[in-house]
Amino acid sequence: MTQEINLKIKDKIAASERILIVSHVRPDADAAGSLLGLGLALQQAGKTVQMVLQDGADNFDYLPGSDQILRQAEGSFDMIVVVDCSDSQRVGHALDGYGAPDLVVDHHKTNLNFGANNVVEPEQVATAAILYDRIPEWGLAFNSDVANCLLSGIVGDTIGFRTSNVDASVLRRAAALMEHGADLAHIYREELVLKSYTAVRYWGAGLNRLLYEDGLVWTYLSLVDREKIGYAGNDDADLVNVLSAVREAEIALIFIEQTHNQVKVSWRAQPDLDVSEIAFSFGGGGHAAAAGADIEGDLQEVMTRVIEKTRELLDNSRK
Ligand code: 5GP
Ligand code: MN
């Protein structure tokens, strides 16, 4: 079956001249790294490639090719690829006016298989790891730029090889990408260590209000925080990873107020818990240990609803 799909995809790529690749809103390193890694490999094979992220790639200027990323697709394409998205809403408006994707490459267990071909491998730590496996099988090749982008995706989703799904095969893939020219120390520093002064002050706003109750830790970031501090993004600047450092917390949550009466929620759980289903029940998705959703409603109201449901999940897991 895998071999059959691989051959179909290889043929589709070979027959396509213009290829569009998109990934999700509020892109993380796996979204940007997978998009660029595949995109640059396709360009190396002589394809005309457009790479689109609705929210741009401002945090990823250290990745080769990031200056090519557009916020909206333009023109017509022979093939449309979506990477690291479990449903079609995840791309935001990036595919408005275009049909269903020809290919979806993803590792979320909540994936809805919304493409004509779906390469969905929930056991993989990152979409970039799937692409590492498939690039040669699809008739494409690595170079140092492709390798840097894919390793960046793996480092991002494993938070620097720290998640419990990292095994020896992940490290072997990372080592192979380094042999293709990826610079691990540079990726690590740019992606996980360095934050802007503004981002760290933005963390401060959230950390100031941090709450803990019986295994749950949470806080919020408001539109007013962003305006006061001058933080330009609409994300949490990875504050949720700081919250996950609280030893007593079995689940960490962050609520990020958005415009248009929306709240972005992120869940992070200890290895024996699964927060993907709860995110899915709120219209989002993700993995057992890390999931998210965009929920309609006012900040306080969404916090109340989500904390109540998360508390239920935690209580049930203790029975
Ligand atoms: P984060 O909380 O860092 O945004 O995301 C954690 C995980 O959940 C990531 O794998 C991300 O792709 C997924 N995720 C986050 N938000 C959403 C969402 O609104 N919809 C879906 N389907 N997945 C999400
Ligand atoms: Mn991912």
Side-chain angles (χ1 to χ4, degrees):
M1 185 62 185
T2 307
Q3 198 48 29
E4 209 178 292
I5 291 189
N6 268 341
L7 286 175
K8 248 173 100 178
I9 295 167
K10 188 179 176 185
D11 289 348
K12 179 74 185 167
I13 289 172
S16 299
E17 170 52 31
R18 290 178 54 81
I19 300 177
L20 170 64
I21 315 175
V22 302
S23 190
H24 57 79
V25 294
R26 281 186 293 270
D28 56 19
D30 193 27
S34 295
L35 178 97
L36 286 164
L38 178 60
L40 297 180
L42 287 165
Q43 284 179 349
Q44 184 175 243
K47 308 294 174 185
T48 302
V49 182
Q50 216 172 87
M51 295 176 276
V52 176
L53 293 171
Q54 179 195 284
D55 293 333
D58 292 348
N59 296 333
F60 301 102
D61 56 2
Y62 66 92
L63 287 180
S66 59
D67 54 336
Q68 297 183 44
I69 292 176
L70 305 177
R71 287 173 183 257
Q72 222 176 351
E74 289 166 15
S76 59
F77 300 94
D78 306 315
M79 182 176 187
I80 297 176
V81 185
V82 176
V83 294
D84 201 42
C85 295
S86 58
D87 57 53
S88 57
Q89 275 93 58
R90 270 298 265 168
V91 304
H93 296 292
L95 280 180
D96 284 3
Y98 294 90
D102 299 286
L103 172 62
V104 170
V105 187
D106 187 32
H107 69 129
H108 292 98
K109 58 185 286 196
T110 52
N111 192 288
L112 300 180
N113 293 309
F114 60 102
N117 294 290
N118 300 282
V119 175
V120 177
E121 297 180 5
E123 67 283 4
Q124 294 261 23
V125 293
T127 298
I130 305 176
L131 289 170
Y132 168 76
D133 293 348
R134 300 301 173 110
I135 275 179
E137 295 172 358
W138 293 345
L140 303 172
F142 298 105
N143 59 38
S144 65
D145 286 350
V146 172
N148 270 301
C149 292
L150 295 181
L151 186 57
S152 177
I154 294 173
V155 168
D157 268 18
T158 61
I159 326 173
F161 306 108
R162 277 190 282 156
T163 51
S164 60
N165 54 1
V166 172
D167 61 15
S169 81
V170 175
L171 297 179
R172 270 188 212 105
R173 288 185 178 90
L177 287 168
M178 291 177 78
E179 283 167 350
H180 284 293
D183 182 345
L184 178 62
H186 180 68
I187 290 169
Y188 213 102
R189 194 169 148 77
E190 289 292 337
E191 195 170 312
L192 296 175
V193 180
L194 296 180
K195 301 286 167 200
S196 70
Y197 172 61
T198 308
V200 177
R201 289 196 58 227
Y202 181 52
W203 284 3
L207 288 172
N208 240 337
R209 304 186 277 256
L210 190 65
L211 289 173
Y212 171 81
E213 204 182 284
D214 190 21
L216 284 188
V217 69
W218 72 95
T219 192
Y220 67 88
L221 292 161
S222 67
L223 290 168
V224 170
D225 293 331
R226 294 215 278 286
E227 200 186 324
K228 260 200 201 149
I229 292 162
Y231 182 73
N234 58 358
D235 53 24
D236 67 338
D238 296 329
L239 176 60
V240 73
N241 291 338
V242 181
L243 267 51
S244 311
V246 175
R247 188 183 288 279
E248 297 87 339
E250 287 164 78
I251 300 178
L253 288 131
I254 194 158
F255 300 85
I256 310 133
E257 188 181 22
Q258 307 289 313
T259 54
H260 307 296
N261 203 39
Q262 294 273 327
V263 180
K264 166 69 205 284
V265 183
S266 288
W267 288 262
R268 296 293 184 271
Q270 303 266 359
D272 48 339
L273 290 161
D274 183 349
V275 285
S276 68
E277 290 305 320
I278 192 166
F280 191 71
S281 75
F282 280 105
H287 314 285
D294 270 293
I295 302 175
E296 191 164 338
D298 142 83
L299 181 61
Q300 285 304 328
E301 180 248 319
V302 170
M303 280 175 59
T304 308
R305 267 165 55 205
V306 169
I307 287 169
E308 189 183 306
K309 284 279 168 211
T310 310
R311 165 66 55 207
E312 270 172 33
L313 172 83
L314 194 52
D315 288 348
N316 289 336
S317 77
R318 289 167 171 172
K319 280 181 187 154

